Every structure is written in structure tokens, then in C-alpha cells.
Amino acid sequence: MSTEHWRPSSTHWGAFRAATDADGTLRVQPHPADPAPSPLLGNLAGTVRHRTRVRRPAIRRGWLTGGPGPTGARGDEEFVEVGWDTALDLVAEQLERTRREHGNEAIFGGSYGWASAGRFHHAQSQLHRFHNTIGGYTASRNNYSFGTSQVLLPHVIGSTDALLQHADSWATIQEHTDLVVAFGGLPGKNLSIASGGITRHTGSAALRDLGTDLVAISPLADDVPAGPGADWWPIAPGTDVALQLGLAHTLLTTGRHDQDFLDRCCTGSEVFAGYLLGDADGIAKSAEWAAGICGIDATAIRALADRMAAGRTLITVSWSLQRTEHGEQPVWAGLALAAMLGQIGLPGGGFGHGYGSMADIGDDAPAVRPPTLPLGRNPVRAFIPVARIADLLLNPGQQYDYDGQRLTYPDIRLVHWAGGNPFHHHQDLNRLRRAFGRPDTVVVHETHWTATARHADVVFPATTALEREDVGAGRRDSHLIAMHQVLDPVGEARDDYAVLAGLAQRLGTHQEFTEGRSAREWLVHLYEQWRAGLVAQGHDVPPFAEFWAAGDLRMPDVRHRAPLAALRSDPERNPLPTPSGRIELFSATIDSFGYPDCPGHPVWLPARQRRGGPLHLIANQPPTRLHGQGDVGEVSQRAKVAGREPIRIHPRDAAAREISDGDVVRVFNHLGACLAGARVSEDVRPGVVVLPTGAWFDPQPDPARPGETLCAHGNPNVLTADVPSSRLSQGCAGQHAHVEVERHLGPVPALRCSAPPPLADS
Ligand SMILES: Nc1nc2c(c(=O)[nH]1)N[C@H]1C(S)=C(S)[C@@H](COP(=O)(O)OP(=O)(O)OC[C@H]3O[C@@H](n4cnc5c(=O)[nH]c(N)nc54)[C@H](O)[C@@H]3O)O[C@H]1N2
Ligand SMILES: Nc1nc2c(c(=O)[nH]1)N[C@H]1C(S)=C(S)[C@@H](COP(=O)(O)OP(=O)(O)OC[C@H]3O[C@@H](n4cnc5c(=O)[nH]c(N)nc54)[C@H](O)[C@@H]3O)O[C@H]1N2
Ligand SMILES: [Mo]
């Protein structure tokens, strides 16, 4: 194989070059500029040609013969493979009928999900652009990643960007910071990933040798990077706010808070101080009080407060902490604690959100917005906060609260999804199955036979990024990658763009959707527009042909001033876009909503959902893949235990249940059950079990319990409750659940998810 056959491409976990061997095997080499390439590249070869690829358009038998309508059969029926024209005609007809009979609001096109890297073929962008040409759709707002912070932070610091786009770089931290206090730890596994791609994994490289002291607070030792200055504080899950308040109370009562910073740059510090002292509820939020809740010794809490005040300290809160009930609180209380230390806006000090969650937080690459497909305008006003999908489908007409508004769920008749997997990302999957029984029609574009594809009526086979051309870059990336086509499309798979152009043709909006451009012409168009903008700002960017031939380009060095540093330097001249112009430790706006589950300042609120069992389950991001993507690949498969997703359990909890390492176990609660493979380990706090997300959902009859079903593979979302973080944000709270674990007796069922569903020829 000669190197001239190596073609550049990209994924959310890194840029690379790929070539195929004589026997068709895919070979992958990380981008030469990447100092710490992601191990997840190892999943690609086994995934792109896996037998679970969708090869032809497929229609659920009952929908094809019986027509559209609510049904309990989705997910349980065989599919009939049909030609492209048949599938496109039938879907166009239902889009037309739905908008005529029920209005465009009856089409749900939110279509949340990560899809693939590549700016033009980005599946959601394509889908939204298409629907905007035919009159719009009910949309979804915010994300599963930090959707709670997306609603909270604009109230308290004016934007999410102030923390996410303007985070200090790892290099700045290494230079200036004495102590990092990381709530949620700094899990190296997460630093593979950045939405849209990442060429240089500078965070992964920095974590190899952080060079500062670190207190990593997490129930799981994996979240603590190796290194001499790192301490593991195995906190009880869901109790970080108590620890934060205990630290804040200690600073306040020992006079080490920075009153000058609080007066100059914050509002509401006196309300927060009153709460810490227990003015209204009579409870001082002291180190002793905190110790009783979070399981960390009061002396250690006071000593940590000392250390924090003694030098340059960065307090950071992982996104996982806000993906819980009352998920606003650890973010807001963490910010308030940092405000009391008074180092917000100093290099390497203050508050961070998502170091250890995503590779682009702390990356020092320039802040250039990559080329972007224009989406048009959605005339439909109806939307949901993204994690309310099952409520939307199950409860048309029902009212609910969101960020000070009273919203009503529209009546959805047609669901159209491309580039996402709600049967991966949503909670209480047994409930989601019922919800997916409600619409008349479910249309899914997928590369693979995921659980969502299996719950559809019509499945369009989509190409992967390796089977098409694109340009790729993350939100903060050192390079723009010319993504060349590496492989021929599998079977009859088409690009989402081609599929939607086919629907647009049938609905009379082909010209508006395509603007007469081929996919390649779009790449040139989007690139040249982007280039013109940068050239106008004085940057030197090569024309498309040159960029394409080179395989990538270095992003021009665009930098913006961080709003929190600006605030610190002069709060009068550089106010934040909050009502007060300051950091709001008390928000009159949030207070005015009157939500008991998110009052006007940070508070300790225990989770309501405690049902389900004695063990606290953490369903975190998987170390071996991106969500469900690549679960059939080599890296993901190698980690499985007896073919099941590994669940970590402490030796004490395992012994009490006569569970040994390598056993297949049943994990269950009042919502559902799944099988998993036991990994007995001291790396997890006693009383806590960790089962990452992303094992492909495989609902089957429970072999040991007639009439009951379980996920035979280990998807934790059969166990998580479908409850929001709060009425303020309605964010995803899927990180935690309560469960029991037992040895699985009886036969271990074969997995069905690793082969396509039953397919018939038309
Ligand atoms: N319990 C629990 N649940 C969680 C979380 C948690 O912490 N705990 N985390 C949540 C978070 S943060 C997130 S972001 C979500 C992620 O949830 P998702 O983003 O829905 O998960 P993915 O597996 O990335 O799904 C993307 C799908 O797009 C498909 N795809 C890829 N490229 C293309 C393409 O070009 N075209 C088409 N048509 N399809 C394509 C892939 O095959 C894949 O099935 O999960 C959430 N769910
Ligand atoms: N390898 C890999 N990396 C990923 C992803 C992936 O799928 N795979 N997904 C990406 C995406 S979309 C996102 S949004 C980010 C998400 O980034 P995060 O949400 O930060 O990631 P998680 O792994 O879910 O959680 C981080 C750690 O928080 C700890 N934790 C959980 N609950 C608690 C608690 O109550 N208190 C404390 N102190 N710690 C707790 C868990 O042990 C967990 O390992 O990750 C990104 N990175
Ligand atoms: Mo995410």
C-alpha cells in the first residue's frame, strides 16, 4: 500500500489519514500533528463495514401493509427492503399529509444527536434546512451534554461561552495554577472527544503530567489522572453541593473570602452569605454539616479551604454534575465558591466548567468558527427542551414550566430523525418505547441498525463520513480538515443530503434546498464564503483547490478577550450581559419564577428520585467509544465481559451479593433491568456502581422471568428515570439512578443488536 492512497478524514475523536489494504481492510493513522491521538480510532475499521450497516431502504412490515398510525409494534417487527423511489415516495406523501391535516407543528424534527464530523454533511443541519423549506417543524432546544447549564448560565454570567469558549488553556493552568479542585474529576477518557473534531489532543497530553496539585472529587478513581500531586476524594454521588457549601462557609467564617471581588464583580453575595450562615433555615452550612452529607471528613474540608485560599486555585465542575436532578446547583454553588475566593478572571484561577468533559475545554487552538451550512428559518414556534422527548410524544396538549415560561406540548404525528439515537441518549427506555408508539410515522436516517432505526417505520441507509467528501473542524480546532472520500458507500446507502434532496424534489422545494449545487459544489461554496470572511479580516487562507490538495490547513490565529477577565479588570466598562452586569450569586429573575426546585441562589437540595435499590448507579460516558457510535468496533468489544457492558462494583458490595469478577449480572430497579458483566474493583466508592452509556439497547424477554423484558446487553438507560433536572432548565438528569445488582442465573441470551433485524424482500 503506498502512501499516496492515504486520504485525510476526521471524526469527533480526531483527525486521521486512512487507506484500504488489498483485501479491503481499513487502515487508520492519526493526524501527524496530534500529540495524543485517541484510542477510539481503533473502532473505525470494525464499524464501517460491520454487518449491522443499513444497506437498503427498509420499511416496517405493519406500516407498509397497514399504513401510518399509532402502534405497539415498533421495535418488534420485521422490515421489508424496498427501492429508493418507493421509500422516498411514501415518506414524501406522509410529510405532505401531515402538514396538510395537522400543520407543520405536527412534525418533530429536533433530531438531537452527534451524527458525524463534517460541516456540510452534518445530519441535523441538513434535516433542519430541509424542513425549513417545507414550512418548518417542532424543534428541540439545548443539548444533553450541558443543557442545564445552558439555561442557568445566561442568568448568572450572561452566557455559556464565558466559561466554555473562554476557558483558560491547559498551558495557562500549568503555568499559573497551584491547585485544581475538580468536582467530577478530570477523566482522561473524555478528552478524546470534541464536537466536530479535534486535530491536536492537547488536553490528553496535558493530563499526562499536569504539574499542579489536584484534588479530584469523584466516586470513581478513573476520573483522577495519574501524577504525583493528585488526590482522590471519593465523594458520595450527588452531594458535591454540600461540599462546596461547606468550603464556602469555612472561607466566610474564617474571613478568607474576597469581599472586594464580591462587591465589585458580583451581585447577591449577601444573600448567599446569609444562606451559608443559616439565617433563614437555622442550618449553618459548615464543614461538619457538609461532612454528614458528602461523606468527607470535616477536618479535610477545612484544610482544603485553607489550601484553596493560600494560592492560585481553579475550581472546575464537570458537565456530569449538572446532568442530574437539581443539576443547576453544583454549577452555581461552584461558581459562588470561586467568587468567594475572588480569583475569577485571573489566569489559571477562578471557575471552569467542563475541563475533563470535552477535549476543546482548555485547548489553546484559535477560536475560528468553521464553515457552516445555512439552515434557513423555521416558521414554527413550538419547541421542546431537548430531554422532554418522551413527554412530548406521550402528552400532547399538556402544559409544563421552562425558564419562566409556561409551554404546551404540540401533537406530534410524524417524527423525522437523522444523526441521533434517542434509544441511546434518552432515559427510561421502556417509557421511550411507549412514546415511540404514539406517532403515525417514524422516519430515521441511519448508517447502522441502531435501536432507533429498529423503532422506525422507514429507515433510510446513510453513508458514513468515510464514504463522502466534506470539510471538518471542531468549535475550537487547530486545523480545518479536507475530508476526502475513503470508501465506496455500503450497499445502496446515500448521503443525507441526497436523501433530503430526493424528498425536496417530491415536495417541490428542490431548488430552494439544493440551490442547484452538488455536494462538491457546496463544499467549495461554503469554504470560499468562509475564506472571504477571514481574508477580509486580514488572514491569509488558501483557495479551495489548494486546501483540498494539501489535505488540511492551519486555522488562522483568531483570539477573543475572555468576558470574565474583562469584567474583573473593569466591571463598569465591561459588564456581563446579566441583568446586573455582574456575576449573579442571587438572581432576581430566577427567584421571580418561584420554582422550589431552583430558587434564586445556589442551595443544597437532595435528589427526589431515591427509589430503585440500595446501590447508586453512575451512567457516565464510555471510555471505549463515543456514545453508541463504534460499539461494534474493536476497542469497545475488547472491554466487554461475556459480551456484556462492564459494570464496576466494589469488592464489599460484590461479596455481599456473591458476585465475582467476570460474572454476568442483572442490574434492575422499578423501571427496568439489564444484563452486564461484573468488574469487581476498588476504584469505585462502596455503594456505587458504574455502568457507562452506549451499549446498544437489546430488549428481550428475560429468560429467568416469564413476562418480563430486559436489555440483554447493558444499556443503563433502562434504569434511569425520565425526570428533568428542574423546572428551570428541564435538562437531562440521566447520570444517576438507584439500582440493585444480582448474579444472573439461567442462560445468557444471545445478543440480537449485533445483527440486523429480520429483513424481507419486497
Ligand atoms: N444515562 C445517560 N444517558 C446519557 C448521558 C449520560 O451521561 N447518562 N449523556 C448524554 C449525552 S451528554 C449525549 S451528547 C447523548 C448522545 O446521544 P447521541 O448523540 O444520540 O448518541 P450517538 O451514539 O452519538 O448517536 C449518533 C447517531 O448518529 C448516527 N450517525 C453518524 N453519522 C451519521 C450520518 O452522517 N448520518 C446519519 N443519518 N446518521 C449518522 C450514528 O450511527 C449514531 O447512531 O447521550 C446522552 N445520554
Ligand atoms: N470516551 C468518550 N468521551 C466522551 C464522550 C463519550 O461518549 N466517550 N462523550 C462526550 C460528550 S457528548 C460529553 S457531553 C462529555 C460529558 O462529560 P461529563 O459529563 O463530564 O462526562 P461523564 O463521563 O458522564 O462524567 C464524568 C465523571 O463524573 C463522575 N461523576 C458522576 N456523578 C458524580 C457526582 O455526583 N459527583 C462527582 N463528584 N462526580 C460524579 C463520574 O465518575 C464520571 O466519570 O463527554 C465527552 N467525552
Ligand atoms: Mo454530550
Side-chain angles (χ1 to χ4, degrees):
M1 189 169 38
S2 75
T3 46
E4 69 201 13
H5 295 118
W6 289 97
R7 310 229 164 105
S9 187
S10 187
T11 58
H12 297 300
W13 49 97
F16 61 93
R17 284 158 172 48
T20 43
D21 275 351
D23 67 355
T25 311
L26 185 77
R27 302 273 168 215
V28 171
Q29 283 185 349
H31 193 283
D34 194 343
S38 167
L40 302 191
L41 287 173
N43 278 329
L44 274 177
T47 304
V48 280
R49 288 290 182 266
H50 193 259
R51 63 178 178 280
T52 51
R53 281 296 298 270
V54 185
R55 308 185 71 85
R56 298 186 62 202
I59 301 187
R60 184 174 63 80
R61 168 83 67 195
W63 191 88
L64 189 62
T65 54
T71 170
R74 290 194 181 101
D76 280 329
E77 242 180 3
E78 72 167 357
F79 284 83
V80 182
E81 295 190 316
V82 300
W84 270 106
D85 282 337
T86 307
L88 289 168
D89 287 347
L90 289 171
V91 170
E93 198 182 302
Q94 288 314 312
L95 285 167
E96 181 55 47
R97 183 184 73 90
T98 305
R99 64 178 180 166
R100 189 180 61 241
E101 290 178 8
H102 307 285
N104 280 73
E105 197 179 90
I107 299 171
F108 181 69
S111 186
Y112 180 78
W114 267 61
S116 287
R119 303 295 303 170
F120 172 68
H121 288 292
H122 181 241
Q124 281 76 25
S125 303
Q126 290 287 350
L127 188 84
H128 295 157
R129 180 179 163 84
F130 161 75
H131 277 285
N132 286 340
T133 71
I134 66 162
Y137 60 96
T138 291
S140 61
R141 243 182 233 180
N142 309 330
N143 57 36
Y144 276 73
S145 310
F146 49 90
T148 294
S149 294
Q150 278 176 303
V151 180
L152 172 74
L153 289 176
H155 290 294
V156 304
I157 52 163
S159 69
T160 48
D161 272 3
L163 295 176
L164 304 189
Q165 286 288 344
H166 298 280
D168 279 344
S169 71
W170 292 102
T172 303
I173 293 168
Q174 288 172 321
E175 189 185 338
H176 295 278
T177 310
D178 299 307
L179 172 67
V180 178
V181 179
F183 292 91
L186 296 177
K189 68 176 174 65
N190 286 351
L191 296 189
S192 277
I193 308 293
S195 176
I198 173 149
T199 312
R200 304 185 70 246
H201 286 90
T202 57
S204 306
L207 279 197
R208 286 177 191 155
D209 181 14
L210 195 56
T212 71
D213 284 354
L214 167 68
V215 173
I217 299 155
S218 167
L220 181 63
D222 306 23
D223 299 336
V224 189
D231 270 348
W232 177 31
W233 283 30
I235 195 169
T239 66
D240 298 79
V241 174
L243 176 55
Q244 291 164 332
L245 295 175
L247 289 165
H249 180 272
T250 306
L251 291 176
L252 180 69
T253 52
T254 56
R256 275 164 307 165
H257 60 296
D258 185 338
Q259 192 62 49
D260 177 59
F261 181 82
L262 292 170
D263 292 341
R264 279 193 330 120
C265 298
C266 303
T267 181
S269 67
E270 65 299 337
V271 181
F272 184 60
Y275 174 71
L276 290 175
L277 297 171
D279 285 355
D281 60 5
I283 301 170
K285 312 304 176 298
S286 65
E288 284 72 19
W289 167 85
I293 295 170
C294 70
I296 288 169
D297 188 63
T299 321
I301 297 175
R302 277 194 299 268
L304 180 59
D306 279 344
R307 279 174 78 192
M308 289 168 72
R312 185 64 55 86
T313 298
L314 176 69
I315 295 162
T316 170
V317 172
S318 65
W319 295 348
S320 53
L321 265 59
Q322 53 87 69
R323 215 174 301 114
T324 60
E325 267 194 80
H326 309 128
E328 291 84 358
Q329 303 311 321
V331 179
W332 205 356
L335 179 72
L337 174 60
M340 294 190 63
L341 276 180
Q343 300 182 18
I344 292 174
L346 291 177
F351 186 67
H353 189 27
Y355 288 101
S357 297
M358 193 68 72
D360 52 11
I361 306 293
D363 196 5
D364 58 3
V368 184
R369 189 171 186 240
T372 305
L373 183 70
L375 302 184
R377 203 183 71 83
N378 183 359
V380 172
R381 300 187 56 137
F383 73 93
I384 55 161
V386 68
R388 299 279 57 80
I389 175 67
D391 289 346
L392 163 72
L393 298 178
L394 288 168
N395 305 317
Q398 185 178 298
Q399 294 202 326
Y400 64 105
D401 289 312
Y402 169 69
D403 198 15
Q405 305 167 51
R406 193 89 186 136
L407 301 175
T408 305
Y409 292 119
D411 188 359
I412 299 300
R413 301 305 177 105
L414 188 150
V415 172
H416 195 174
W417 222 294
N421 185 357
F423 283 88
H424 160 77
H425 64 235
H426 198 54
Q427 285 53 68
D428 195 350
L429 293 182
N430 292 314
R431 181 170 190 253
L432 187 69
R433 289 191 100 189
R434 293 193 293 279
F436 262 64
R438 287 294 305 268
D440 294 344
T441 298
V442 177
V443 181
V444 170
H445 304 212
E446 250 297 349
T447 57
H448 290 74
W449 278 106
T450 60
T452 299
R454 288 165 201 257
H455 284 82
D457 300 315
V458 181
V459 182
F460 290 130
T463 54
T464 66
L466 287 160
E467 294 151 27
R468 60 200 184 210
E469 295 179 343
D470 214 326
V471 297
R475 290 173 286 219
R476 170 154 226 169
D477 207 333
S478 57
H479 293 66
L480 182 72
I481 306 293
M483 297 169 63
H484 289 207
Q485 185 178 339
V486 178
L487 299 169
D488 292 330
V490 156
E492 295 176 21
R494 290 185 183 173
D495 302 344
D496 295 299
Y497 176 61
V499 179
L500 295 164
L503 292 175
Q505 179 84 57
R506 287 163 175 80
L507 293 165
T509 61
H510 189 260
Q511 178 59 28
E512 193 183 343
F513 177 65
T514 66
E515 298 180 19
R517 293 191 188 93
S518 68
R520 171 52 93 87
E521 284 163 353
W522 268 106
L523 297 189
V524 177
H525 171 73
L526 294 177
Y527 178 92
E528 289 297 347
Q529 255 190 346
W530 176 77
R531 173 174 172 249
L534 288 164
V535 168
Q537 292 166 40
H539 299 287
D540 190 16
V541 183
F544 182 82
E546 207 177 297
F547 154 70
W548 195 256
D552 60 42
L553 60 74
R554 283 301 290 238
M555 287 289 195
D557 200 21
V558 176
R559 309 271 163 187
H560 305 286
R561 187 161 189 217
L564 291 170
L567 173 79
R568 180 187 190 90
S569 72
D570 189 343
E572 294 305 326
R573 292 181 55 186
N574 308 311
L576 297 173
T578 55
S580 62
R582 307 287 197 269
I583 299 169
E584 304 223 340
L585 304 186
F586 171 80
S587 161
T589 310
I590 294 177
D591 185 61
S592 74
F593 300 154
Y595 300 146
D597 55 4
C598 188
H601 60 84
V603 290
W604 161 247
L605 293 170
R608 282 164 309 213
Q609 300 287 325
R610 320 220 74 159
R611 280 179 68 197
L615 296 170
H616 197 124
L617 173 79
I618 289 181
N620 63 350
Q621 309 294 334
T624 56
R625 57 188 172 260
L626 171 66
H627 316 137
Q629 299 194 43
D631 189 27
V632 295
E634 197 186 316
V635 179
S636 182
Q637 288 299 315
R638 226 188 296 131
K640 305 262 175 184
V641 175
R644 319 292 129 165
E645 190 64 16
I647 185 169
R648 228 88 60 82
I649 183 167
H650 189 271
R652 194 200 72 187
D653 298 317
R657 293 164 177 80
E658 295 180 354
I659 291 169
S660 307
D661 192 74
D663 282 350
V664 174
V665 294
R666 180 171 169 271
V667 191
F668 62 99
N669 65 14
H670 57 300
L671 298 171
C674 68
L675 299 182
R679 279 279 170 250
V680 178
S681 164
E682 305 252 354
D683 285 345
V684 61
R685 181 188 160 94
V688 176
V689 288
V690 179
L691 178 62
T693 60
W696 284 6
F697 179 46
D698 196 334
Q700 297 197 20
D702 183 336
R705 289 177 182 72
E708 288 184 35
T709 62
L710 50 65
C711 167
H713 192 192
N715 187 317
N717 274 328
V718 295
L719 305 161
T720 52
D722 189 0
V723 295
S725 46
S726 77
R727 287 199 256 174
L728 180 82
S729 59
Q730 295 284 353
C732 167
Q735 179 86 188
H736 292 171
H738 294 272
V739 300
E740 182 52 287
V741 180
E742 63 184 18
R743 258 169 69 202
H744 172 73
L745 304 169
V748 178
L751 293 183
R752 293 177 182 165
C753 60
S754 51
L759 297 171
D761 241 329
S762 54

